[in-house]
Amino acid sequence: MVKIGVIGSCAVDLVVTSDKRPGAGETVLGESFRTVPGGKGANQAVAAARLGAEVTMIGRVGEDNFGEVILNNFKSNGVSISHVEPVADIESGTAHIVLAEGDNSIVVVKGANDLVTPEYIKQKLNVIQDMDIILIQQEIPEETVVLVSQICAQAGISLLLNPAPAREVDPSVIENAAYLTPNEHEAALLFGGLSPAQALRQYPNKLFITEGAQGVRYYDGRREVLVPAFKVEAVDTTGAGDTFNAAFAVALAEGQPIYESVMFANRAASLSVTKFGAQGGMPTREEVEASLQS
Ligand code: RIB
Protein backbone atom coordinates (compact mmCIF):
# COMPACT_ATOMS: atom_id res chain seq x y z
CA MET A 1 0.00 0.00 0.00
CA VAL A 2 1.49 3.38 -0.92
CA LYS A 3 1.89 6.00 1.80
CA ILE A 4 0.45 9.40 1.00
CA GLY A 5 0.79 12.47 3.20
CA VAL A 6 -1.65 15.31 2.67
CA ILE A 7 -0.74 18.70 4.09
CA GLY A 8 -3.62 21.12 3.83
CA SER A 9 -7.02 22.37 4.78
CA CYS A 10 -9.94 20.72 6.54
CA ALA A 11 -13.39 22.28 6.37
CA VAL A 12 -17.10 21.83 6.57
CA ASP A 13 -18.88 22.90 3.38
CA LEU A 14 -22.12 24.84 3.88
CA VAL A 15 -23.89 24.27 0.59
CA VAL A 16 -26.92 26.10 -0.77
CA THR A 17 -28.57 25.07 -4.02
CA SER A 18 -30.43 27.68 -5.99
CA ASP A 19 -31.74 28.26 -9.53
CA LYS A 20 -29.96 31.54 -9.69
CA ARG A 21 -26.71 32.94 -8.31
CA PRO A 22 -27.36 36.27 -6.55
CA GLY A 23 -25.63 39.33 -7.98
CA ALA A 24 -24.19 42.12 -5.78
CA GLY A 25 -26.92 43.53 -3.52
CA GLU A 26 -29.45 40.92 -4.70
CA THR A 27 -31.43 38.37 -2.65
CA VAL A 28 -32.68 35.17 -4.24
CA LEU A 29 -34.62 32.23 -2.78
CA GLY A 30 -32.69 28.96 -2.54
CA GLU A 31 -33.92 25.36 -2.65
CA SER A 32 -31.85 23.43 -0.13
CA PHE A 33 -29.10 23.73 2.46
CA ARG A 34 -26.73 20.97 3.58
CA THR A 35 -23.49 20.71 5.52
CA VAL A 36 -20.95 18.17 4.23
CA PRO A 37 -17.23 17.51 4.80
CA GLY A 38 -14.87 19.50 2.57
CA GLY A 39 -11.64 21.47 2.41
CA LYS A 40 -9.19 20.77 -0.41
CA GLY A 41 -6.70 18.95 1.81
CA ALA A 42 -9.31 16.80 3.53
CA ASN A 43 -11.00 16.04 0.21
CA GLN A 44 -7.71 14.83 -1.25
CA ALA A 45 -6.98 12.71 1.81
CA VAL A 46 -10.39 11.01 1.69
CA ALA A 47 -10.18 10.47 -2.08
CA ALA A 48 -6.73 8.84 -1.78
CA ALA A 49 -7.90 6.59 1.08
CA ARG A 50 -10.93 5.41 -0.91
CA LEU A 51 -8.53 4.53 -3.73
CA GLY A 52 -6.57 2.22 -1.44
CA ALA A 53 -3.65 4.35 -0.18
CA GLU A 54 -2.49 4.56 3.43
CA VAL A 55 -3.17 8.24 4.09
CA THR A 56 -1.90 10.56 6.81
CA MET A 57 -3.48 14.00 7.06
CA ILE A 58 -1.44 16.88 8.47
CA GLY A 59 -3.71 19.79 9.34
CA ARG A 60 -5.67 21.54 12.06
CA VAL A 61 -9.27 22.01 13.14
CA GLY A 62 -10.98 24.11 15.79
CA GLU A 63 -12.19 22.66 19.09
CA ASP A 64 -15.77 22.99 17.89
CA ASN A 65 -18.62 20.90 16.47
CA PHE A 66 -17.32 21.23 12.92
CA GLY A 67 -13.93 20.02 14.11
CA GLU A 68 -15.58 16.87 15.44
CA VAL A 69 -17.47 16.34 12.20
CA ILE A 70 -14.20 16.63 10.26
CA LEU A 71 -12.30 14.21 12.52
CA ASN A 72 -15.13 11.64 12.51
CA ASN A 73 -15.30 11.80 8.75
CA PHE A 74 -11.56 11.09 8.48
CA LYS A 75 -11.96 8.12 10.82
CA SER A 76 -14.84 6.64 8.86
CA ASN A 77 -12.79 6.93 5.65
CA GLY A 78 -9.67 5.34 7.16
CA VAL A 79 -7.49 8.48 7.14
CA SER A 80 -4.96 8.76 9.98
CA ILE A 81 -5.68 11.82 12.13
CA SER A 82 -2.74 11.59 14.53
CA HIS A 83 -1.44 14.81 12.98
CA VAL A 84 -4.68 16.77 12.77
CA GLU A 85 -4.48 18.73 15.99
CA PRO A 86 -7.49 20.63 17.33
CA VAL A 87 -6.80 24.22 18.44
CA ALA A 88 -8.72 26.27 21.01
CA ASP A 89 -10.15 29.74 20.39
CA ILE A 90 -10.36 29.54 16.62
CA GLU A 91 -13.12 28.11 14.46
CA SER A 92 -12.70 25.18 12.07
CA GLY A 93 -12.39 26.06 8.41
CA THR A 94 -15.62 26.52 6.49
CA ALA A 95 -16.51 26.87 2.82
CA HIS A 96 -19.68 28.72 1.84
CA ILE A 97 -20.86 27.27 -1.43
CA VAL A 98 -23.63 28.26 -3.82
CA LEU A 99 -24.54 25.62 -6.41
CA ALA A 100 -26.43 27.39 -9.17
CA GLU A 101 -26.67 27.45 -12.96
CA GLY A 102 -24.58 24.27 -13.29
CA ASP A 103 -21.54 25.47 -11.37
CA ASN A 104 -20.35 26.42 -7.89
CA SER A 105 -19.16 29.67 -6.27
CA ILE A 106 -17.17 29.32 -3.06
CA VAL A 107 -16.07 31.61 -0.24
CA VAL A 108 -13.53 29.92 2.04
CA VAL A 109 -13.00 31.06 5.64
CA LYS A 110 -9.70 29.46 6.63
CA GLY A 111 -10.08 29.51 10.43
CA ALA A 112 -7.79 26.87 11.98
CA ASN A 113 -6.23 26.11 8.59
CA ASP A 114 -4.26 29.33 8.99
CA LEU A 115 -2.48 27.62 11.89
CA VAL A 116 -0.90 25.00 9.65
CA THR A 117 2.21 27.13 10.04
CA PRO A 118 5.90 26.44 9.28
CA GLU A 119 6.41 25.92 13.06
CA TYR A 120 3.69 23.26 13.06
CA ILE A 121 5.25 21.54 10.05
CA LYS A 122 8.68 21.50 11.71
CA GLN A 123 7.17 19.19 14.35
CA LYS A 124 6.12 16.77 11.60
CA LEU A 125 9.44 16.24 9.80
CA ASN A 126 9.62 12.52 10.59
CA VAL A 127 6.08 11.98 9.37
CA ILE A 128 6.74 13.80 6.09
CA GLN A 129 10.00 11.95 5.48
CA ASP A 130 8.21 8.60 5.84
CA MET A 131 5.82 9.22 2.91
CA ASP A 132 6.02 8.06 -0.72
CA ILE A 133 4.47 11.29 -1.94
CA ILE A 134 3.18 14.52 -0.37
CA LEU A 135 0.12 16.36 -1.64
CA ILE A 136 -0.31 20.05 -0.83
CA GLN A 137 -2.70 22.86 -1.85
CA GLN A 138 -3.09 26.58 -1.10
CA GLU A 139 -5.73 26.95 1.62
CA ILE A 140 -2.89 27.09 4.17
CA PRO A 141 -0.21 29.79 4.61
CA GLU A 142 2.14 30.37 1.69
CA GLU A 143 5.26 30.12 3.92
CA THR A 144 4.19 26.59 4.84
CA VAL A 145 4.05 25.55 1.20
CA VAL A 146 7.53 27.00 0.68
CA LEU A 147 8.92 25.11 3.68
CA VAL A 148 7.27 21.80 2.71
CA SER A 149 8.71 22.11 -0.79
CA GLN A 150 12.21 22.53 0.70
CA ILE A 151 11.76 19.58 3.06
CA CYS A 152 10.57 17.34 0.23
CA ALA A 153 13.36 18.41 -2.12
CA GLN A 154 16.00 17.76 0.55
CA ALA A 155 14.52 14.40 1.53
CA GLY A 156 13.98 13.27 -2.08
CA ILE A 157 10.23 12.91 -1.60
CA SER A 158 7.92 13.71 -4.51
CA LEU A 159 5.73 16.74 -3.89
CA LEU A 160 2.53 17.27 -5.83
CA LEU A 161 1.39 20.90 -5.60
CA ASN A 162 -2.21 21.57 -6.50
CA PRO A 163 -1.95 25.39 -6.69
CA ALA A 164 -5.57 26.05 -5.74
CA PRO A 165 -7.09 28.43 -4.92
CA ALA A 166 -5.09 30.63 -7.28
CA ARG A 167 -2.34 32.80 -5.85
CA GLU A 168 1.20 33.65 -6.89
CA VAL A 169 3.67 30.90 -6.04
CA ASP A 170 7.26 31.35 -4.92
CA PRO A 171 9.53 30.24 -7.82
CA SER A 172 11.41 27.91 -5.43
CA VAL A 173 8.19 25.91 -4.93
CA ILE A 174 7.76 25.47 -8.67
CA GLU A 175 11.32 24.15 -8.91
CA ASN A 176 11.09 21.92 -5.82
CA ALA A 177 7.76 20.29 -6.69
CA ALA A 178 7.78 17.08 -8.71
CA TYR A 179 4.28 17.68 -10.11
CA LEU A 180 2.14 20.81 -10.59
CA THR A 181 -1.56 20.58 -11.40
CA PRO A 182 -2.99 24.07 -12.02
CA ASN A 183 -6.16 24.75 -13.96
CA GLU A 184 -5.85 27.23 -16.83
CA HIS A 185 -6.50 30.26 -14.62
CA GLU A 186 -3.98 29.13 -11.99
CA ALA A 187 -1.42 28.34 -14.70
CA ALA A 188 -1.71 31.89 -16.03
CA LEU A 189 -0.84 33.21 -12.55
CA LEU A 190 2.02 30.75 -12.09
CA PHE A 191 3.67 31.34 -15.46
CA GLY A 192 2.65 34.96 -16.10
CA GLY A 193 4.81 35.67 -19.16
CA LEU A 194 4.35 32.30 -20.86
CA SER A 195 1.57 30.85 -22.97
CA PRO A 196 0.23 27.47 -21.74
CA ALA A 197 2.15 25.71 -24.53
CA GLN A 198 5.41 27.42 -23.57
CA ALA A 199 4.91 26.62 -19.88
CA LEU A 200 4.18 22.97 -20.66
CA ARG A 201 7.37 22.67 -22.73
CA GLN A 202 9.39 24.19 -19.92
CA TYR A 203 8.20 21.53 -17.45
CA PRO A 204 7.94 18.17 -19.26
CA ASN A 205 6.14 15.44 -17.28
CA LYS A 206 5.87 17.88 -14.36
CA LEU A 207 3.23 20.41 -15.33
CA PHE A 208 -0.31 19.09 -15.85
CA ILE A 209 -2.86 21.75 -16.79
CA THR A 210 -6.39 20.66 -15.97
CA GLU A 211 -8.97 21.90 -18.47
CA GLY A 212 -12.21 20.73 -16.83
CA ALA A 213 -14.48 18.82 -19.20
CA GLN A 214 -11.76 18.93 -21.88
CA GLY A 215 -9.26 16.85 -19.94
CA VAL A 216 -5.65 17.31 -18.82
CA ARG A 217 -2.73 18.57 -20.92
CA TYR A 218 1.01 17.96 -20.42
CA TYR A 219 4.22 17.78 -22.44
CA ASP A 220 5.92 14.39 -22.44
CA GLY A 221 9.33 15.60 -23.66
CA ARG A 222 8.48 15.06 -27.34
CA ARG A 223 4.93 16.27 -27.82
CA GLU A 224 1.96 17.89 -26.09
CA VAL A 225 -0.53 15.29 -24.88
CA LEU A 226 -4.20 15.89 -24.06
CA VAL A 227 -5.71 13.11 -21.96
CA PRO A 228 -9.43 13.60 -22.56
CA ALA A 229 -11.90 13.70 -19.69
CA PHE A 230 -14.63 11.06 -19.54
CA LYS A 231 -18.12 12.30 -20.30
CA VAL A 232 -20.63 11.95 -17.46
CA GLU A 233 -23.85 13.61 -16.27
CA ALA A 234 -22.50 16.06 -13.65
CA VAL A 235 -24.54 16.62 -10.47
CA ASP A 236 -21.93 18.59 -8.49
CA THR A 237 -18.40 19.40 -9.69
CA THR A 238 -17.18 20.44 -6.20
CA GLY A 239 -14.19 18.27 -5.27
CA ALA A 240 -13.52 16.98 -8.81
CA GLY A 241 -10.10 18.64 -8.84
CA ASP A 242 -9.32 17.17 -5.42
CA THR A 243 -10.27 13.70 -6.61
CA PHE A 244 -8.07 14.15 -9.68
CA ASN A 245 -5.07 15.18 -7.57
CA ALA A 246 -5.50 12.37 -5.07
CA ALA A 247 -5.94 9.70 -7.72
CA PHE A 248 -2.98 11.04 -9.71
CA ALA A 249 -0.81 10.89 -6.58
CA VAL A 250 -1.93 7.33 -5.80
CA ALA A 251 -1.19 6.11 -9.33
CA LEU A 252 2.20 7.86 -9.47
CA ALA A 253 3.21 6.53 -6.05
CA GLU A 254 2.30 3.04 -7.25
CA GLY A 255 4.70 3.49 -10.16
CA GLN A 256 2.10 3.69 -12.93
CA PRO A 257 3.34 5.50 -16.07
CA ILE A 258 2.37 9.16 -16.48
CA TYR A 259 -0.27 8.69 -19.19
CA GLU A 260 -1.99 5.84 -17.32
CA SER A 261 -1.84 7.85 -14.09
CA VAL A 262 -3.62 10.78 -15.72
CA MET A 263 -6.22 8.40 -17.23
CA PHE A 264 -6.84 6.83 -13.83
CA ALA A 265 -7.16 10.26 -12.22
CA ASN A 266 -9.47 11.54 -14.95
CA ARG A 267 -11.73 8.55 -14.50
CA ALA A 268 -11.85 8.98 -10.71
CA ALA A 269 -12.62 12.69 -11.10
CA SER A 270 -15.39 12.01 -13.60
CA LEU A 271 -17.06 9.55 -11.21
CA SER A 272 -16.79 12.06 -8.36
CA VAL A 273 -19.07 14.61 -10.03
CA THR A 274 -22.00 12.23 -10.38
CA LYS A 275 -23.13 12.72 -6.75
CA PHE A 276 -23.76 15.68 -4.45
CA GLY A 277 -21.02 17.05 -2.17
CA ALA A 278 -17.25 17.35 -2.50
CA GLN A 279 -16.75 13.84 -1.13
CA GLY A 280 -20.17 12.35 -1.93
CA GLY A 281 -19.14 10.88 -5.28
CA MET A 282 -15.49 10.11 -4.62
CA PRO A 283 -15.08 6.56 -5.93
CA THR A 284 -13.49 3.47 -4.43
CA ARG A 285 -10.62 1.70 -6.20
CA GLU A 286 -12.99 -0.99 -7.44
CA GLU A 287 -15.36 1.59 -8.91
CA VAL A 288 -12.57 3.30 -10.86
CA GLU A 289 -11.18 0.00 -12.15
CA ALA A 290 -14.62 -1.24 -13.19
CA SER A 291 -15.21 2.03 -14.97
CA LEU A 292 -11.84 1.86 -16.79
CA GLN A 293 -12.76 -1.59 -18.11
CA SER A 294 -16.20 -0.54 -19.35
O1 RIB B 1 -12.02 21.84 -3.90
C1 RIB B 1 -13.29 21.87 -3.34
C2 RIB B 1 -13.23 22.41 -1.95
O2 RIB B 1 -12.82 23.75 -2.00
C3 RIB B 1 -14.54 22.42 -1.23
O3 RIB B 1 -14.82 21.21 -0.57
C4 RIB B 1 -14.42 23.59 -0.31
O4 RIB B 1 -14.15 23.20 1.00
C5 RIB B 1 -13.30 24.44 -0.89
O5 RIB B 1 -12.29 24.59 -0.01
Side-chain angles (χ1 to χ4, degrees), residues 69-242:
V69 168
I70 292 165
L71 294 176
N72 286 335
N73 180 58
F74 279 138
K75 282 189 215 158
S76 55
N77 281 283
V79 174
S80 164
I81 52 168
S82 309
H83 303 284
V84 184
E85 294 174 18
V87 225
D89 301 326
I90 189 160
E91 72 285 358
S92 292
T94 48
H96 305 258
I97 303 181
V98 176
L99 288 184
E101 299 158 3
D103 211 342
N104 60 31
S105 313
I106 307 182
V107 176
V108 169
V109 180
K110 287 194 284 177
N113 296 307
D114 245 347
L115 298 181
V116 184
T117 57
E119 290 64 40
Y120 186 65
I121 291 300
K122 283 178 194 157
Q123 299 162 29
K124 311 291 177 193
L125 288 184
N126 292 344
V127 186
I128 295 172
Q129 286 162 356
D130 190 38
M131 296 295 146
D132 294 317
I133 190 165
I134 294 285
L135 264 167
I136 199 164
Q137 329 71 32
Q138 302 197 133
E139 289 177 336
I140 56 174
E142 188 181 350
E143 316 81 76
T144 304
V145 179
V146 172
L147 175 66
V148 170
S149 81
Q150 288 163 357
I151 294 169
C152 288
Q154 277 158 18
I157 293 170
S158 295
L159 175 71
L160 192 165
L161 170 67
N162 169 216
R167 71 180 174 208
E168 283 183 13
V169 174
D170 190 287
S172 70
V173 176
I174 294 177
E175 293 314 314
N176 287 337
Y179 306 102
L180 302 162
T181 56
N183 62 24
E184 294 154 287
H185 172 59
E186 292 152 2
L189 250 184
L190 250 56
F191 306 105
L194 302 179
S195 68
Q198 288 169 327
L200 287 169
R201 275 173 185 265
Q202 198 164 321
Y203 295 102
N205 294 321
K206 167 166 176 165
L207 175 60
F208 298 82
I209 301 182
T210 59
E211 299 180 1
Q214 281 291 107
V216 174
R217 203 178 287 278
Y218 70 102
Y219 183 71
D220 72 359
R222 285 185 302 122
R223 64 194 175 95
E224 200 174 292
V225 181
L226 173 68
V227 187
F230 295 95
K231 304 274 173 262
V232 287
E233 196 69 41
V235 172
D236 182 358
T237 58
T238 313
D242 298 326

